[in-house]
Amino acid sequence: MCFHCSFGGFGHGGFGIPFELESYGNYRLLRQPLTYYPITLQQPSIPYVRTSHHSYSEKQTVPQFYNGYHQNAAATQTAPVPAQGMKVDRNNTALVITDPQNDFLSPKGAAWNLVKDSVAENHTIENIELLLKTAKENKFKVFVSPHWYYPYDQKWRFGGVLEHLMHDLKMYQRKSPLSLEGFTGSGADFLDRYKPYIEDGQTVICSPHKIFGPEANDLVLQLRKQCITRVILAGMSGNLCVESHMRELIERGFEVAVVHDATASAKMNGLDGDKAAKTNFRMIASASWSTNEAINKMRSTHRISPYR
């Protein structure tokens, strides 16, 4: 079966180029090469946009389209950011703490001067302890994603700005993965007030992440093996390790609620990492909670059937 067709335009300036198509099964094959004919164009009329059964002048439709677009954009910018929230139960929800270590949270720590203002404003040290205490009291599993560097890590050939800074400050230094020599009380060690919760034999201390996110450690594996699908996330530092953990866990299919005042970030040279982190927590995570909100949710949860 053959179809005789032509390309054409609307209005007085229309023209046609005839050609033939042959239908063959589900395919249409060109039966013969296109033949080009001389074309004489008349004075073009006002172009029309054909929609449904009506024709509108382009001068009429374009301003209406763009005005409507800008009105929608303005409405979106002023609308409140929706709060989806996240359900919490002991069976599939865990507390994850990143870098609860001296180099960030002790006045003797290598990075203390960078984060001390943010730590004080958020009451970060106290809030992390409250989360750990509440999780233990209410039988939530706790996972720690630490940050440790070994001597061979200092020989890396390239890195980002704050990655270089961490190496220059000698943060999170350990002798080797097989030795705890000099570890106790060092910058790589956990804050003393957290140790009763972390070193209780129940907390899962993951292998170290090396830059910011958990891509290089076993956090995701450990969570999966415990049938965890939802994470309450806190720790140090907000716009680096916490945010990177949040993003990667979400990409891996976890629901994540970040406790925005149980973290802190560097403030330096006019850059406010804490403000940046809280903006992204609010925009990306399933929820951004205060410590009190997170505690109330952990306390009010009820044990449901296993592997839910």
Side-chain angles (χ1 to χ4, degrees):
M1 181 182 296
C2 295
F3 299 90
H4 296 270
C5 309
S6 65
F7 292 117
F10 298 105
H12 296 293
F15 60 90
I17 300 175
F19 63 94
E20 290 185 347
L21 291 175
E22 182 177 4
S23 64
Y24 182 75
N26 292 326
Y27 301 93
R28 288 186 172 182
L29 305 176
L30 188 64
R31 190 174 183 183
Q32 62 183 29
L34 290 175
T35 303
Y36 294 89
Y37 297 88
I39 299 173
T40 302
L41 295 177
Q42 300 178 9
Q43 182 66 28
S45 58
I46 297 175
Y48 283 83
V49 178
R50 176 161 296 194
T51 60
S52 186
H53 300 291
H54 303 281
S55 295
Y56 299 95
S57 168
E58 188 176 339
K59 293 181 179 179
Q60 293 175 323
T61 59
V62 172
Q64 291 176 4
F65 172 78
Y66 283 106
N67 287 340
Y69 172 81
H70 288 303
Q71 289 172 1
N72 292 337
T76 302
Q77 289 176 344
T78 58
V81 178
Q84 298 297 329
M86 186 182 85
K87 293 181 180 180
V88 172
D89 73 68
R90 298 180 187 92
N91 292 296
N92 59 22
T93 307
L95 176 66
V96 173
I97 304 292
T98 65
D99 302 357
Q101 295 163 261
N102 288 327
D103 268 340
F104 263 135
L105 294 171
S106 168
K108 296 180 181 179
W112 175 252
N113 287 332
L114 297 175
V115 300
K116 62 182 181 180
D117 293 339
S118 182
V119 167
E121 290 167 8
N122 292 337
H123 303 285
T124 305
I125 295 172
E126 299 84 353
N127 286 338
I128 290 175
E129 184 175 12
L130 286 171
L131 290 175
L132 288 167
K133 183 175 185 292
T134 304
K136 295 296 182 178
E137 289 175 346
N138 291 274
K139 310 300 181 185
F140 281 85
K141 292 182 175 67
V142 177
F143 297 75
V144 172
S145 180
H147 209 150
W148 289 321
Y149 287 130
Y150 308 121
Y152 44 76
D153 297 326
Q154 294 293 326
K155 299 177 182 179
W156 290 352
R157 302 286 294 275
F158 63 92
V161 174
L162 290 185
E163 185 184 347
H164 275 302
L165 181 61
M166 288 190 292
H167 289 294
D168 292 342
L169 293 173
K170 306 298 182 185
M171 292 178 68
Y172 306 128
Q173 294 299 299
R174 283 181 53 179
K175 296 291 185 181
S176 87
L178 302 178
S179 173
L180 288 176
E181 179 187 351
F183 176 74
T184 301
S186 70
D189 196 5
F190 303 118
L191 206 64
D192 279 341
R193 64 197 293 172
Y194 301 157
K195 287 184 178 181
Y197 309 105
I198 295 175
E199 298 177 355
D200 64 348
Q202 300 298 317
T203 295
V204 178
I205 302 174
C206 299
S207 57
H209 59 272
K210 288 296 184 175
I211 303 179
F212 304 125
E215 292 88 345
N217 76 350
D218 65 341
L219 174 63
V220 170
L221 173 67
Q222 296 289 353
L223 292 170
R224 296 290 192 203
K225 289 295 189 179
Q226 297 288 342
C227 297
I228 299 299
T229 60
R230 297 168 181 164
V231 168
I232 299 171
L233 180 64
M236 294 297 289
S237 79
N239 67 318
L240 300 177
C241 297
V242 176
E243 182 173 329
S244 294
H245 277 66
M246 172 193 71
R247 290 176 180 270
E248 176 64 11
L249 290 172
I250 289 172
E251 294 284 357
R252 294 292 196 97
F254 293 89
E255 289 184 80
V256 180
V258 183
V259 186
H260 57 73
D261 58 359
T263 183
S265 305
K267 294 185 178 184
M268 53 188 293
N269 299 327
L271 302 176
D272 190 337
D274 194 57
K275 184 176 180 180
K278 288 176 178 176
T279 296
N280 287 337
F281 297 160
R282 186 70 178 86
M283 288 185 170
I284 299 172
S286 295
S288 179
W289 293 330
S290 67
T291 298
N292 286 336
E293 288 175 313
I295 286 173
N296 288 336
K297 290 180 182 297
M298 283 193 283
R299 285 176 175 170
S300 63
T301 187
H302 298 287
R303 192 168 186 84
I304 310 176
S305 60
Y307 307 111
R308 172 172 176 262

